[in-house]
Amino acid sequence: MKFFIDSADVDAIRELNDLGMVDGVTTNPSIIMKSGRDIVEVTKEICSIVSGPVSAEVVASDAEGMIAEGRKLAEIADNIAIKVPLTWAGLKACKVLSGEGRMVNVTLCFSANQALLAAKAGATFISPFIGRLDDINLDGLELIEDIRTIYDNYGYETQILAASIRNANHVKDCAIIGADVVTAPPAVIKAMANHVLTDKGLDAFNADWAKTGQKIL
Ligand code: E4P
């Protein structure tokens, strides 16, 4: 399973990348706002750290505007994936931009039918938002399952990029379902390493080791 980092925090991205945990990065207008940095400058820096796809999102609402913005964002680096919203205009932009050989990430997907349309429009990635569905008492993971089934039924190569990941269990569940990628905040990736029994076991080992009076170094 590929891990993308859903953040523009370059220090956090660099730390995880050094550990081999980063296959790509996703950003959106809210993430850029939180970074407090210029979109081109911060995206270029991320692309210099990470060799995998780095999603940069368009903000136009019409297809022509999205295509123009997408081409401009793609100039930042060779590994830019242009992120377009799952609207009718976004699907048109996806078709044109993917036809030019560019990576396109279709975002804000909340239904299997939307995912089917994105695959037919040539999307490289489809981003279903799990957490935001859970927030309104719908089942985000069921959406991932449905899209997996539909894509496998017809052999679509669009990669399922599970987004809006809120906790480590989301990552595990997406891995079991067979999502191609999860994009998660750095804190969620780090939380995957935690287990209360690991901490408890380590405390017991350390206490017993102290009783031996020995040293390794
Ligand atoms: C995906 O690419 C989005 O940037 C992101 O996962 C949205 O997550 P949120 O619902 O936590 O804002």
Side-chain angles (χ1 to χ4, degrees), residues 10-217:
V10 289
D11 292 334
I13 291 168
R14 193 175 281 111
E15 182 193 359
L16 290 167
N17 191 58
D18 288 347
L19 278 173
M21 302 291 179
V22 181
D23 301 296
V25 170
T26 50
T27 65
N28 62 37
S30 302
I31 286 172
I32 296 297
M33 184 272 292
K34 276 183 213 143
S35 79
R37 296 182 59 185
D38 173 77
I39 183 173
V40 173
E41 184 214 344
V42 72
T43 307
K44 189 174 275 189
E45 186 172 351
I46 293 168
C47 289
S48 74
I49 300 167
V50 175
S51 56
V54 174
S55 289
E57 188 159 342
V58 302
V59 292
S61 53
D62 62 305
E64 291 69 27
M66 289 183 200
I67 293 163
E69 289 179 355
R71 288 173 180 152
K72 175 94 179 162
L73 290 170
E75 288 173 7
I76 294 173
D78 289 342
N79 54 332
I80 289 289
I82 302 159
K83 211 172 180 192
V84 301
L86 213 155
T87 58
W88 201 248
L91 291 169
K92 285 184 185 172
C94 174
K95 181 72 180 158
V96 171
L97 292 166
S98 62
E100 293 173 352
R102 305 177 195 278
M103 289 188 285
V104 181
N105 175 359
V106 181
T107 189
L108 289 167
C109 170
F110 295 96
S111 79
N113 275 335
Q114 289 181 315
L116 182 51
L117 291 174
K120 291 190 76 69
T124 316
F125 301 103
I126 182 68
S127 290
F129 277 36
I130 297 177
R132 293 192 195 188
L133 281 169
D134 290 353
D135 288 346
I136 58 164
N137 296 319
L138 293 174
D139 191 339
L141 290 169
E142 186 177 278
L143 174 60
I144 303 296
E145 279 174 347
D146 287 349
I147 299 171
R148 182 73 282 157
T149 300
I150 290 168
Y151 282 8
D152 288 350
N153 281 349
Y154 298 99
Y156 288 117
E157 289 181 3
T158 300
Q159 295 179 52
I160 301 173
L161 197 176
S164 192
I165 297 282
R166 300 283 163 77
N167 55 58
N169 276 338
H170 274 159
V171 179
K172 177 203 65 174
D173 290 333
C174 285
I176 291 169
I177 292 166
D180 301 284
V181 191
V182 287
T183 188
V188 170
I189 302 291
K190 287 188 168 185
M192 291 169 70
N194 298 339
H195 199 289
V196 65
L197 291 180
T198 304
D199 297 340
K200 199 175 163 192
L202 200 51
D203 287 346
F205 287 160
N206 286 338
D208 287 343
W209 182 249
K211 288 177 203 157
T212 70
Q214 299 179 46
K215 283 191 163 55
I216 293 176
L217 290 177

